[in-house]
Amino acid sequence: MSSHRLSTGGQIDRARSVKFTFDGKALTGHPGDTLASALLANGIQLVGRSFKYHRPRGILTAGAAEPNALVTTGTGGRTEANTRATMIELHDGLNARSQNRWPSLGFDIGAVNGLLSPFLSAGFYYKTFMWPAGFWEKVYEPLIRKAAGLGKASYEADPDSYEKCWAHCDLLVIGAGPSGLAAALTAGRAGARVLLADEGFAFGGTLLTDRDARLSAMLAELEALPNVQCLPRTTVIGWYDDNVFGAVERVQKHVAEPDPGQPVERLWRIIAKQAILASGAEERPLVFGGNDIPGVMMAGAMRSYLNRQAVAPGKRVAVFTTNNAGYRTAADLEAAGVDVAAIVDPRATNEPGWNGKAKVLTNACIVDALGGKSVSGVSIAGASGVQRFEADAVAMSGGWSPVIHLACHRGAKPVWSDTHAAFLAPERQEGLSLAGAAAGLWSTEACLSDGSRKAAEALQLLGFAKVEPAFAEADAAQPAATPFWFAKGSKGKAFVDYQNDVNLKDLGLAVREGYGDVELAKRYTTNGMATDQGKLSNINAIGILAEARGVSPADVGTTTFRPFYTPVSFGALTGASRGKHFQPVRKSPLHDWAKKNGATFVETGLWYRAAWFPRAGETTWRESVDREVLNIRKNAGICDVSTLGKIEIFGRDAATFLDRVYCNGFAKLPVGKARYGIMLREDGMIYDDGTTSRFSDDHFFMTTTTALAAGVLTHLEFCAQTLWPELEVHFASSTDQWAQMAVAGPKSRAILSEIVDEDISDAAFPFMSARTVSLFGGKLEGRLFRISFSGELAYELGVPAGYGESVADAIMQTGEKHGICAYGAEALGVMRIEKGHVTHAEINGTVTPGDLGFGRMVSTTKPDFIGKVMLAREGMQASDRPRLVGVKPLDPKASFRTGSHILSDGAAATLENDQGYVTSSCYSPNLGHTIGLALIKNGPERIGEKVMIWNGLRNEFTDGVICSPVFIDPENEKLHA
Amino acid sequence: MRYSALSVFLNGLRGNKGWAPAWRQPQPKPHYDVIIVGGGGHGLSTAYYLAKTFGITNVAVLEKGYLGSGNIGRNTTIIRSNYLLSGNNPFYELSMKLWEGLEQDFNFNAMVSQRGVLNLFHSDAQRDAYTRRGNAMRLHGVDAELLDRQAVREKLPFLDFDNARFPIMGGLLQPRGGTVRHDAVAWGYARGADSRGVDIITHCEVTGIRRENGRVVGVETTKGFIGCGKLALAAAGNSTVVADMAGLRLPIESHVLQAFVSEGLKPFIDCVVTFGAGHFYVSQSDKGGLVFGGDIDGYNSYAQRGNLATVEHVAEAGVAMIPSLTRVRYLRTWGGIMDMSMDGSPIIDRTPIDNLYLNACWCYGGFKATPASGYCYAHLIARNEPHETARQMRLDRFARGYQMDEKGVGAQPNLH
Amino acid sequence: MASLITCPHCGQRPKEEFTIKGDAGLARPAPDAGADVWYDYVYLRDNPKGLHKEYWHHSSGCRRWLIVERDTVTHKVHSVSDAALAKLGGAA
């Protein structure tokens, strides 16, 4: 209970209190608090447990790099695990729980791992848990899994919404500390479109901590500039090609009850002409024994809590620092009335200008912090040996690492700088420059100046004539930094990666075992793989590896900085594309017609297609489908086929073009006729099929399968534009413009005769006719095709989409006396299988025309068509390729399913004996048994052979016989009726 | 030093000071019987089986980066043998069998975890395709189960069964499929090969292939010329770059595939699940991170990084499958470079150059193949004839018209 | 890759509007060019590490096939032209 709120000061609204809970305990804070500062203000310093040893952990930082203070917030579908307490803006109703402890945060059984730590060194699990062989999955792994992980995610759906947006700007400024604010002011005054994003809820960065008097005026000016958009609570997460940045705005993560009209998070994709990375620098922890005990804190974080939220870390603080940051913290602590036990500085001389009360110990270091769940003192090793100091908190500062993640997302390699004792990114890359502390400048004045200058430079590149820097040039001279990688002689565990419990010894072991490469050390010890991605730990690990290997940090190098800068929710990346809105819905112009006729719909790609039309009393889909099929073959039926792809093809060379994209001939197709066409890929396999009709010399109309409507158009455009641009041919998709309905069955002509004005007798309109027709006594024009997928006398009628429903209604009404019924995709499927017609169940991308019995359709006279040459390859013509046949059960009462394989009668069930497989199957109500289409080796030569239809997956084994794939009307009498 | 619970205990008592390096860091010798280019999973496993099974130990593995820095270190750790075609299925089943005994074999715990791989289907056509595939698996004795909607619901009740745009109808489950700790596979093979005399030479980039009278005699490297009797390429991702040095043109485009890991969570999902109505698959690592991925970005690339749009597509598909993922966070995204082949299947074969061997074209499925790839490649190098399970994985299959196209999309690598 | 492509007809557009096919350096051989030449065309690729010309289709825009010259290492786009116009020798 040593951390506490000071009675005065801070940038909090003391007049208002905010109620929240932590592990069920009701607490209060103030607006301006983070969860972390509010916990500290309430004297709560133990907030979490570490990953492996379950060590008690407190609050280490005041920012995004926090590795320890991870909590779970929210309940139900709003449960959020692993949230950094340092980044949560305190709000009423906040419900936060500690993680990775059982039964409680104070008493955690898992802490026993700490006692076993000699045996749990880096990578120990690679060396054991191997015996007996079966025990890994049954015993060890479940235990490890249960112990591992951090917070618990919810299975409940999220009640809140997310959205995405695009933004364009002249200058994106990332980070609203001194450099970023200076850059935004400079660019804003010059009239540039500026986006200024900062992950915090308050702009200012170190100006807030410094209580810099200039800040409020700067913010007021930015607010007033109409060309500057400020995005607080917005983390820029990644830098992508063409200077596109991803950013996540936490729109409503700081409110008790989100407004349902607003998203909780918004993903921005920002196209920036220029960008400035002003992300500041991260303070480095120092590696000494017990450096993870609650109460040990980054010096800068301690100062931030002190000055921003008026929270003191304790009553007596030991400061361990390698640079002026510790002295600044000590000064502010003393000013706030907190004792500073000592300033411990490993350097030979103390920081110039220190005039505080605290004693400075130079050439000294803290070797151990003492205590369990809180700090009770420190052991300091110096010239006079090791001495113990009483303290209830420790501030540490090992220097600063520029935050260069984003600058390295596109391949730039960080370079070690001896004078900065840090890795720096290239200061200027195309479209992005670094400013201020991110570029290795440590003083506020230097940062203000650098931000101004970098913004002016960026705008000049964009052609802004005269840009005045908001802040004048400042002296950028700064003392060289002194790296200090670890304290020698620590008794306790000295942590490098806090969350993953990687300590000094683990890294030493990694080097000893040959995993000294920075990438291998990371992977072997897990250093840098925690939720903070090594923001605090990587630099120290590199220094420690360098010392162990006897090389410079420059030779060790860094691991790769990859997106995201901080973790990003699935929700933000998903935006509104959730649930029913995952993909757009396509509805045919006849959708409502089908719906009012009682259709059951099925998803087919993006489309909803009518599958069948149940009638009263029908209890299974099969009853409906059987009735539809029988009725069509006896009377007539109408089916929506609008989803088939439709492409208008125009141009002087359209016929020549079609001749080249289909493997069969089209050049001589007469006007007024349709033809079935097969389109190959250049590798000789069938790509798609469909009918193409000729309406005039230079106008064709192509239909494609539903699935490949877009693909075929793209293919045609590719051929026309890149292969044969000299041909005059043009395409327009008209899939959505036409409502197309198949009217099939022996009475289809009688029905359509009452609607179509022209004579459609067999003589006037024979099989494969295709013409524009007049309907309803000239009220409407449509396109009539005498084509048939069902094998019946059949027509397809296309009308402009808006008339579709009325025309279908009229056909239903006219057909009523002829016994017409609506039918769906299932009945269509049954009838095409009965007729032996193929779909993409057969055209699966691995079949040739010959495989499907279309060998003779392939032109031998055309000089060229897509796929011609490759189709001639040995393997494409091999006689034992699986080819299309029919299969039926030997016993008509027996059945089989699609996906069953075919074995020769009596052959053992092995892959070597596999003869082929059933591509399509259905119950044929006309034949009274199951029928199937199959691709079988040498199939057509094996008609009549008894086979095993093998479905081991379902333990169904059906004796069957190979037959012709045409089950109904092999003489095509119905078609030509 | 043999690894065991006892060795961990005894070393622990001695402050873990006694552990020896897992492998040597040798300087290259002037000449080796076999040089393997590529110190990733396939190169290291090839070296291991060459030494262990085929008795060829005068072998060097040359790696331009650190050990295991290729795709063995940047994949989603899934193993499965749920293949359709006769040219693939027995090979991947051999791999599965090798995974099953791997840890005891090379004395390194790679955490092989047969948690099951479930492929969801959302339409009759998908169900039929999985039925065909599952039966092909069964014919070869591979475990496969077809689950209906109810069975999937019992197993994974938190999938979207109620509000989905594409409702789940069922799934094809391979119970023996699962995950393996990927880096440990590289380390285990490296340690096993090293202990049998193989020289693993890292940070040694091959810059040229020297030929005399048509035959390969050695390689130019950043550590000088190294001679060899046989040269075996195992540099997937960079196969074209290396083969170019021998004047060999390949049926490959290099593409970037991204993968992702979430923050660590308590056990959330038990098995590997793939979505059938979008590009998304997910499993959970022993450490607690959800490991997931989607489709390749779709453009030629040698940069190990991807595009935000693909990341978003993966998230959308993930949330379509598991709605409650919205509050789970992506921790890290990365990219690997894939040899995308012209039919989506690999090549383990001799080349038109006598003593030059090729192991390439693993697309995004190389990790699961690591043991069998090494075993079959070692067989080919040692005996100069293909292993029976890899005999269709030929370089000339495209010229001859015998593609192995599981997806049936033809000669366009970015569709596989 | 590119996040943005500057279509010669539509201007700078996001990558998601385009569909990528692949190598634009390939010339479709004459039908009688022989099996080897055809094998080469259909199956073999230069797959360069560096500059690469490829076909991109502005499928959600003007539906023109473009030739995008792009670096496969840096992902920088160097030029975009209309494929048909380029082949016909006109101004792209």
Side-chain angles (χ1 to χ4, degrees):
Chain A
M1 283 290 281
S2 54
S3 65
H4 57 280
R5 182 91 69 189
L6 301 168
S7 55
T8 58
Q11 300 151 33
I12 48 171
D13 182 358
R14 289 179 190 259
R16 286 163 55 206
S17 69
V18 175
K19 292 187 168 62
F20 70 103
T21 64
F22 179 67
D23 280 343
K25 190 174 172 193
L27 300 166
T28 60
H30 298 290
D33 264 324
T34 61
L35 173 61
S37 70
L39 288 171
L40 290 170
N42 281 281
I44 295 172
Q45 287 174 281
L46 169 61
V47 293
R49 290 276 174 171
S50 68
F51 183 78
K52 185 164 155 188
Y53 301 132
H54 292 248
R55 305 250 313 181
R57 291 286 166 80
I59 292 157
L60 191 64
T61 73
E66 178 60 37
N68 285 341
L70 303 186
V71 298
T72 300
T73 63
T75 55
R78 291 195 176 112
T79 302
E80 233 173 88
N82 307 336
T83 305
R84 289 151 296 173
T86 50
M87 295 300 288
I88 300 173
E89 207 172 332
L90 198 70
H91 56 271
D92 269 317
L94 173 65
N95 175 334
R97 281 98 63 202
S98 58
Q99 306 183 152
N100 201 36
R101 77 289 187 273
W102 186 85
S104 73
L105 185 57
F107 178 74
D108 180 3
I109 295 280
V112 72
N113 286 354
L115 302 174
L116 299 174
S117 64
F119 316 110
L120 307 182
S121 59
F124 77 97
Y125 31 76
Y126 297 124
K127 298 168 181 160
T128 182
F129 298 135
M130 286 178 272
W131 306 270
F135 265 45
W136 171 250
E137 277 142 306
K138 291 192 186 69
V139 181
Y140 306 125
E141 191 182 36
L143 286 173
I144 288 174
R145 282 187 171 245
K146 210 168 157 225
L150 297 165
K152 202 166 158 36
S154 169
Y155 289 126
E156 283 181 54
D158 190 334
D160 298 325
S161 64
Y162 299 81
E163 72 178 28
K164 298 181 188 178
C165 67
W166 286 88
H168 299 254
C169 62
D170 294 320
L171 184 70
L172 168 67
V173 181
I174 302 159
S179 327
L181 290 172
L185 274 175
T186 302
R189 287 174 188 169
R193 288 173 67 193
V194 179
L195 275 180
L196 173 61
D198 192 281
E199 62 188 353
F201 58 85
F203 278 8
T206 50
L207 298 179
L208 291 164
T209 311
D210 290 348
R211 294 172 289 188
D212 194 304
R214 292 168 290 185
L215 177 60
S216 58
M218 291 165 76
L219 295 181
E221 185 181 348
L222 283 173
E223 281 294 323
L225 283 169
N227 52 322
V228 176
Q229 185 173 7
C230 294
L231 294 171
R233 307 182 180 92
T234 303
T235 307
V236 179
I237 54 174
W239 183 33
Y240 296 92
D241 294 323
D242 303 312
N243 236 32
V244 173
F245 293 82
V248 173
E249 180 185 3
R250 291 174 296 281
V251 183
Q252 296 194 90
K253 287 289 176 107
H254 58 293
V255 299
E257 189 64 35
D259 170 359
Q262 288 286 318
V264 285
E265 287 186 294
R266 180 181 290 131
L267 179 73
W268 292 72
R269 275 195 278 176
I270 301 167
I271 300 171
K273 288 180 185 160
Q274 288 288 325
I276 289 176
L277 183 62
S279 43
E282 194 73 54
E283 196 170 23
R284 285 176 213 166
L286 288 163
V287 179
F288 57 91
N291 62 348
D292 65 326
I293 297 171
V296 179
M297 196 185 278
M298 304 308 309
M302 194 179 278
R303 189 163 162 264
S304 171
Y305 290 125
L306 193 68
N307 293 344
R308 289 187 60 182
Q309 283 100 6
V311 171
K315 297 193 171 68
R316 189 173 156 81
V317 181
V319 176
F320 185 12
T321 185
T322 66
N323 63 91
N324 67 352
Y327 293 84
R328 273 202 310 251
T329 302
D332 286 0
L333 285 168
E334 289 189 345
V338 179
D339 279 350
V340 176
I343 299 174
V344 183
D345 193 329
R347 295 176 297 180
T349 54
N350 65 341
E351 190 71 22
W354 171 250
N355 53 12
K357 283 185 279 181
K359 183 176 165 190
V360 178
L361 304 171
T362 53
N363 276 321
C365 60
I366 294 181
V367 285
D368 281 291
L370 309 169
K373 289 171 197 159
S374 63
V375 173
S376 58
V378 292
S379 289
I380 297 171
S384 49
V386 176
Q387 41 183 326
R388 197 190 146 136
F389 277 64
E390 297 298 316
D392 58 3
V394 179
M396 61 179 167
S397 179
W400 299 85
S401 302
V403 176
I404 55 173
H405 297 63
L406 286 166
C408 298
H409 278 178
R410 291 171 64 195
K413 295 269 183 254
V415 176
W416 175 255
S417 157
D418 271 325
T419 53
H420 292 84
F423 283 95
L424 302 179
E427 200 161 325
R428 290 176 183 81
Q429 298 180 65
E430 193 180 338
L432 178 73
S433 51
L434 271 57
L441 297 172
W442 308 140
S443 85
T444 301
E445 298 315 310
C447 289
L448 289 167
S449 153
D450 194 41
S452 308
R453 185 173 62 243
K454 295 285 167 56
E457 280 176 20
L459 294 198
Q460 272 147 19
L461 288 173
L462 297 179
F464 283 76
K466 189 160 162 32
V467 185
E468 283 297 321
F471 289 85
E473 288 292 321
D475 181 12
Q478 56 191 31
T482 323
F484 180 84
W485 300 123
F486 60 94
K488 296 180 175 66
S490 295
K491 291 202 174 73
K493 282 195 182 64
F495 286 92
V496 181
D497 186 313
Y498 284 79
Q499 190 182 118
N500 276 354
D501 279 336
V502 180
N503 62 51
L504 187 59
K505 286 180 180 171
D506 291 320
L507 289 163
L509 178 62
V511 172
R512 244 188 339 276
E513 292 197 271
Y515 302 91
D517 186 291
V518 67
E519 286 282 358
L520 292 177
K522 164 188 150 184
R523 289 150 189 263
Y524 192 61
T525 65
T526 74
N527 191 89
M529 293 172 78
T531 57
D532 60 314
Q533 289 284 283
K535 287 188 178 62
L536 297 180
S537 63
N538 279 352
I539 183 65
N540 283 334
I542 290 164
I544 290 162
L545 290 173
E547 280 213 23
R549 286 166 49 188
V551 298
S552 154
D555 300 318
V556 174
T558 63
T559 54
T560 310
F561 291 105
R562 293 191 179 278
F564 297 122
Y565 170 60
T566 51
V568 177
S569 73
F570 269 81
L573 293 165
T574 298
S577 303
R578 289 162 65 193
K580 294 286 185 201
H581 302 295
F582 165 52
Q583 294 281 302
V585 167
R586 291 186 79 181
K587 286 181 179 169
S588 143
L590 294 172
H591 187 90
D592 290 342
W593 166 81
K595 199 170 171 182
K596 74 186 177 195
N597 280 280
T600 299
F601 290 94
V602 63
E603 300 82 9
T604 308
L606 298 181
W607 293 100
Y608 281 98
R609 289 185 75 180
W612 59 85
F613 292 81
R615 286 192 180 166
E618 289 171 351
T619 53
T620 68
W621 67 272
R622 264 282 307 283
E623 276 183 76
S624 308
V625 173
D626 288 356
R627 170 189 44 78
E628 288 170 18
V629 170
L630 290 170
N631 186 64
I632 295 153
R633 297 231 186 267
K634 183 174 162 227
N635 296 312
I638 174 173
C639 178
D640 177 13
V641 293
S642 305
T643 61
L644 292 179
K646 296 183 272 296
I647 302 168
E648 312 286 336
I649 302 171
F650 295 96
R652 187 187 62 213
D653 299 318
T656 309
F657 177 83
L658 286 171
D659 233 23
R660 294 188 194 175
V661 295
Y662 278 126
C663 71
N664 50 325
F666 271 80
K668 292 177 189 144
L669 179 68
V671 171
K673 284 288 186 188
R675 182 171 290 168
Y676 176 68
I678 295 174
M679 204 177 279
L680 306 186
R681 298 189 308 232
E682 199 70 276
D683 70 353
M685 298 297 185
I686 302 181
Y687 178 54
D688 200 42
D689 68 347
T691 58
T692 289
S693 310
R694 191 169 199 168
F695 288 134
S696 69
D697 276 349
D698 60 358
H699 179 196
F700 290 80
F701 174 71
M702 177 184 283
T703 64
T704 75
T705 57
T706 299
L708 284 182
V712 168
L713 180 61
T714 299
H715 173 65
L716 298 183
E717 287 168 336
F718 178 79
C719 294
Q721 293 174 34
T722 76
L723 302 182
W724 311 304
E726 69 282 3
L727 295 185
E728 193 203 305
V729 58
H730 303 280
F731 315 96
S733 166
S734 60
T735 304
D736 294 311
Q737 278 66 39
W738 293 97
Q740 187 114 336
M741 52 212 100
V743 182
K747 296 181 182 164
S748 56
R749 182 181 294 132
I751 297 166
L752 282 176
S753 296
E754 295 185 38
I755 286 169
V756 178
D757 301 338
E758 286 92 344
D759 177 9
I760 57 166
S761 65
D762 189 51
F765 203 81
F767 184 56
M768 297 310 265
S769 295
R771 284 206 295 271
T772 298
V773 292
S774 164
L775 307 172
F776 306 108
K779 286 193 189 121
L780 189 64
E781 241 183 28
R783 288 173 174 179
L784 189 67
F785 308 84
R786 187 163 165 204
I787 52 180
S788 173
F789 199 42
S790 57
E792 290 299 317
L793 168 66
Y795 301 81
E796 282 187 18
L797 177 63
V799 297
Y803 292 97
E805 188 171 345
S806 307
V807 173
D809 285 343
I811 292 172
M812 285 292 276
Q813 206 175 353
T814 309
E816 197 177 349
K817 57 183 175 290
H818 299 287
I820 197 170
C821 71
Y823 69 100
E826 285 294 333
L828 190 65
V830 170
M831 290 189 292
R832 72 96 189 165
I833 296 170
E834 288 180 335
K835 184 63 185 171
H837 282 161
V838 295
T839 66
H840 276 297
E842 287 74 33
I843 303 176
N844 61 17
T846 64
V847 296
T848 66
D851 296 343
L852 299 187
F854 297 131
R856 272 192 259 162
M857 273 177 66
V858 179
S859 169
T860 53
T861 54
K862 287 196 286 187
D864 191 11
F865 57 84
I866 298 280
K868 179 182 166 90
V869 177
M870 296 318 259
L871 183 59
R873 287 175 293 169
E874 166 199 338
M876 306 289 281
Q877 297 296 329
S879 60
D880 64 346
R881 289 184 62 87
R883 278 179 285 152
L884 187 74
V885 288
V887 285
K888 55 188 180 187
L890 211 52
D891 173 0
K893 290 195 286 296
S895 185
F896 58 85
R897 292 177 211 257
T898 307
S900 301
H901 283 239
I902 305 293
L903 296 169
S904 299
D905 188 29
T910 66
L911 198 58
E912 292 73 32
N913 288 338
D914 192 9
Q915 299 298 302
Y917 63 99
V918 178
T919 56
S920 304
S921 67
C922 66
Y923 174 78
S924 166
N926 291 294
L927 299 174
H929 59 78
T930 297
I931 59 171
L933 300 178
L935 287 163
I936 297 178
K937 288 178 185 173
N938 297 311
E941 286 86 56
R942 297 168 69 174
I943 304 284
E945 182 180 322
K946 188 183 165 202
V947 290
M948 164 62 67
I949 305 172
W950 193 89
N951 191 348
L953 205 52
R954 289 180 182 269
N955 280 315
E956 293 170 359
F957 308 102
T958 312
D959 286 324
V961 63
I962 299 177
C963 59
S964 158
V966 184
F967 292 90
I968 293 262
D969 189 26
E971 307 304 324
N972 289 332
E973 286 168 2
K974 286 164 164 276
L975 279 183
H976 293 285
Chain B
M1 182 189 306
R2 194 171 163 76
Y3 292 156
S4 67
L6 184 65
S7 72
V8 169
F9 179 69
L10 293 176
N11 269 289
L13 293 181
R14 292 194 291 261
N16 288 305
K17 299 278 188 213
W19 295 110
W23 44 77
R24 298 165 294 129
Q25 293 185 329
Q27 286 305 306
K29 294 190 282 191
H31 188 274
Y32 292 92
D33 292 341
V34 178
I35 286 180
I36 297 166
V37 181
H42 292 224
L44 293 167
S45 71
T46 303
Y48 175 80
Y49 292 112
L50 270 177
K52 178 171 180 279
T53 310
F54 299 95
I56 299 174
T57 57
N58 185 24
V59 175
V61 178
L62 308 184
E63 166 54 50
K64 73 180 163 88
Y66 60 93
L67 192 151
S69 52
N71 292 332
I72 189 75
R74 53 192 76 249
N75 57 74
T76 47
T77 80
I78 296 166
I79 60 168
R80 57 185 173 86
S81 57
N82 54 358
Y83 279 75
L84 171 68
L85 300 176
S86 65
N88 280 324
N89 171 329
F91 171 86
Y92 287 100
E93 179 57 14
L94 169 68
S95 213
M96 183 62 79
K97 293 208 167 85
L98 290 169
W99 284 120
E100 285 170 334
L102 187 63
E103 294 153 305
Q104 288 70 31
D105 188 63
F106 67 20
N107 181 230
F108 204 93
N109 186 359
M111 304 177 198
V112 176
S113 179
Q114 294 180 291
R115 329 186 56 78
V117 172
L118 177 65
N119 299 116
L120 300 177
F121 55 79
H122 310 256
S123 70
D124 287 354
Q126 277 185 326
R127 178 203 58 212
D128 293 347
Y130 278 127
T131 304
R132 179 187 168 203
R133 192 202 289 206
N135 276 319
M137 293 163 66
R138 284 291 190 97
L139 279 174
H140 191 61
V142 181
D143 57 324
E145 292 171 24
L146 199 68
L147 306 187
D148 64 13
R149 178 181 162 91
Q150 189 52 34
V152 174
R153 194 166 200 148
E154 278 162 24
K155 195 174 169 67
L156 302 165
F158 48 86
L159 303 186
D160 191 353
F161 290 91
D162 302 319
N163 193 38
R165 173 72 176 80
F166 302 103
I168 295 162
M169 287 176 58
L172 181 68
L173 175 70
Q174 184 183 20
R176 284 161 67 242
T179 57
V180 180
R181 169 82 182 98
H182 57 342
D183 290 321
V185 176
W187 302 337
Y189 276 125
R191 182 167 161 269
D194 174 87
S195 71
R196 289 170 174 85
V198 172
D199 282 356
I200 300 165
I201 302 159
T202 58
H203 303 285
C204 177
E205 183 168 359
V206 172
T207 54
I209 293 176
R210 192 186 290 180
R211 288 163 72 184
E212 285 172 12
N213 303 322
R215 287 181 62 80
V216 173
V217 295
V219 289
E220 315 287 349
T221 78
T222 48
K223 293 190 176 178
F225 174 79
I226 311 173
C228 65
K230 293 178 176 180
L231 182 63
L233 308 184
N238 283 290
S239 294
T240 299
V241 176
V242 185
D244 263 354
M245 296 175 194
L248 191 64
R249 212 155 162 251
L250 295 177
I252 290 176
E253 287 182 5
S254 294
H255 282 258
V256 63
L257 175 70
Q258 299 192 65
F260 315 94
V261 66
S262 79
E263 294 180 330
L265 298 169
K266 289 293 173 195
F268 182 80
I269 190 162
D270 236 3
C271 58
V272 183
V273 189
T274 71
F275 191 42
H279 293 285
F280 181 75
Y281 58 91
V282 62
S283 65
Q284 188 168 16
S285 76
D286 284 342
K287 203 163 162 288
L290 302 183
V291 181
F292 55 101
D295 199 7
I296 56 174
D297 278 26
Y299 43 85
N300 285 42
S301 175
Y302 283 93
Q304 289 175 327
R305 60 196 175 83
N307 189 262
L308 184 58
T310 306
V311 181
E312 294 173 43
H313 291 155
V314 169
E316 288 165 12
V319 170
M321 186 170 100
I322 308 174
S324 68
L325 279 180
T326 49
R327 305 252 174 181
V328 172
R329 297 190 198 95
Y330 280 60
L331 174 59
R332 188 172 173 87
T333 77
W334 66 95
I337 302 305
M338 314 288 124
D339 277 4
M340 293 304 295
S341 73
M342 289 288 160
D343 61 359
S345 291
I347 292 170
I348 301 176
D349 201 1
R350 289 171 295 222
T351 69
I353 301 161
D354 243 4
N355 52 344
L356 179 67
Y357 297 81
L358 179 68
N359 176 314
C361 293
W362 291 98
C363 297
Y364 40 76
F367 178 68
K368 71 180 88 70
T370 306
S373 171
Y375 192 89
C376 294
Y377 200 28
H379 183 284
L380 178 76
I381 295 163
R383 305 227 168 122
N384 231 22
E385 61 184 53
H387 185 266
E388 60 170 344
T389 64
R391 62 178 186 271
Q392 293 184 43
M393 294 177 174
R394 305 294 300 275
L395 178 56
D396 68 357
R397 66 177 183 264
F398 303 103
R400 294 174 56 239
Y402 290 96
Q403 303 85 270
M404 298 199 293
D405 190 348
E406 294 263 339
K407 274 174 89 175
V409 293
Q412 192 177 329
N414 67 358
L415 299 180
H416 283 288
Chain C
M1 129 69 231
S3 305
L4 304 167
I5 290 288
T6 304
C7 172
H9 308 294
C10 311
Q12 193 183 58
R13 307 297 305 161
K15 181 252 167 196
E16 296 91 293
E17 291 187 2
F18 298 82
T19 310
I20 307 157
K21 187 169 173 82
D23 198 336
L26 303 163
R28 189 169 184 270
D32 56 357
D36 287 351
V37 175
W38 271 93
Y39 161 63
D40 203 287
Y41 167 69
V42 176
Y43 288 108
L44 297 185
R45 297 290 180 267
D46 283 345
N47 191 29
K49 192 169 186 170
L51 279 189
H52 188 225
K53 283 188 177 180
E54 48 201 31
Y55 285 124
W56 288 54
H57 186 227
H58 197 183
S59 36
S60 298
C62 59
R63 297 201 64 87
R64 294 296 293 178
W65 279 92
L66 311 176
I67 296 175
V68 174
E69 192 178 18
R70 203 176 52 88
D71 191 303
T72 61
V73 179
T74 65
H75 292 172
K76 188 177 168 61
V77 174
H78 289 261
S79 68
V80 185
S81 58
D82 182 287
L85 295 178
K87 189 159 178 183
L88 292 172

mmCIF file of all heavy atoms in Angstrom, chain B residues 139 207 298 380:
data_model
loop_
_atom_site.group_PDB
_atom_site.id
_atom_site.type_symbol
_atom_site.label_atom_id
_atom_site.label_comp_id
_atom_site.label_asym_id
_atom_site.label_seq_id
_atom_site.Cartn_x
_atom_site.Cartn_y
_atom_site.Cartn_z
ATOM 1 N N LEU B 139 -8.954 -44.987 -48.781
ATOM 2 C CA LEU B 139 -8.420 -46.054 -49.640
ATOM 3 C C LEU B 139 -6.943 -46.283 -49.372
ATOM 4 O O LEU B 139 -6.426 -47.378 -49.553
ATOM 5 C CB LEU B 139 -8.631 -45.704 -51.123
ATOM 6 C CG LEU B 139 -10.024 -45.985 -51.695
ATOM 7 C CD1 LEU B 139 -10.129 -45.449 -53.121
ATOM 8 C CD2 LEU B 139 -10.341 -47.484 -51.677
ATOM 9 N N THR B 207 26.501 -18.150 -54.367
ATOM 10 C CA THR B 207 26.440 -17.055 -55.349
ATOM 11 C C THR B 207 26.613 -17.560 -56.775
ATOM 12 O O THR B 207 26.408 -16.819 -57.722
ATOM 13 C CB THR B 207 27.529 -16.013 -55.047
ATOM 14 O OG1 THR B 207 28.795 -16.698 -54.988
ATOM 15 C CG2 THR B 207 27.272 -15.326 -53.716
ATOM 16 N N GLY B 298 -1.056 -12.872 -53.671
ATOM 17 C CA GLY B 298 -1.457 -13.009 -55.068
ATOM 18 C C GLY B 298 -0.558 -12.366 -56.101
ATOM 19 O O GLY B 298 -0.915 -12.314 -57.267
ATOM 20 N N LEU B 380 16.457 -40.182 -53.286
ATOM 21 C CA LEU B 380 16.762 -39.848 -54.682
ATOM 22 C C LEU B 380 18.252 -39.546 -54.848
ATOM 23 O O LEU B 380 18.894 -40.033 -55.793
ATOM 24 C CB LEU B 380 15.937 -38.628 -55.105
ATOM 25 C CG LEU B 380 16.172 -38.115 -56.521
ATOM 26 C CD1 LEU B 380 15.483 -39.030 -57.533
ATOM 27 C CD2 LEU B 380 15.651 -36.691 -56.684
#
